[in-house]
Amino acid sequence: IRMDPIDEKIDALAGKGVFFFGGPILDGISYNLFLNISHLQKTQPDRVVWLIMKSPGGLVDEGFAVYDLIRAFIKKGVRINIICMGVIASMGVSILQAASRRYSFPNTQFMIHEVSQEIEVANEKASESDERTVEIKRVNQIVMEHLAERTGLGLKEIMAQVHKTDVWLDARGAMNFGPQGLIDEIVDTFPFEF
């Protein structure tokens, strides 16, 4: 089987622990991430993992799976750093908080907000609507706790800032969002060799 040159380049980067995480957070991302990091750790256990991330956000349940996966690898001693580019929004910002170290290119834009859910409902009972509202609030609380834990801001303060609004930040604003920021460092080149 002949590999396309782009496939060869992707494989070469993966062998050096560099993975591109771009686009919406959809089902299957956590599975692919698990396979790639597991394989890398089996063949090169001391290799630092670099995720280059650009994401408008996406599915909350898949975002939680990716967040938990990154944290589980880190607890096993794997360093997983994330470098942001373009736009990192919504669940993408929550995933970013799982990283060992959080980097951003200078022109990256960040957006945080309350969890939302688009639902088409036909013939819904009033009690079902109430249950859905309770669940959305519970999930929102978890996302806000991830932000509070890494930024050093209080949970109530973050929830007040994002209440009924989208909060947009440039890289500098993201670094200054709370005592520890949404990111740790702004870089203008890759902080790894490839």
Side-chain angles (χ1 to χ4, degrees), residues 169-188:
L169 302 162
D170 61 12
R172 181 76 45 209
M175 198 161 84
N176 295 322
F177 189 80
Q180 297 157 291
L182 291 173
I183 59 172
D184 299 305
E185 187 177 341
I186 299 171
V187 294
D188 60 1

Side-chain angles (χ1 to χ4, degrees), residues 2 5 15 20 24-25 30 36 49 55 62 64 89 99 108 123 127 135-136 140 143 157 167 170 182 189:
R2 186 176 176 280
F20 188 75
I25 299 159
S30 60
N36 280 301
V49 175
S55 178
E62 188 66 11
F64 282 163
T108 305
N123 301 319
S127 62
E135 179 61 10
I136 289 171
N140 187 64
V143 171
E157 185 176 351
V167 176
D170 61 12
L182 291 173
T189 188

Side-chain angles (χ1 to χ4, degrees), residues 132-143:
R132 191 172 62 247
T133 299
V134 167
E135 179 61 10
I136 289 171
K137 287 181 177 180
R138 185 189 69 77
V139 168
N140 187 64
Q141 173 95 9
I142 295 168
V143 171

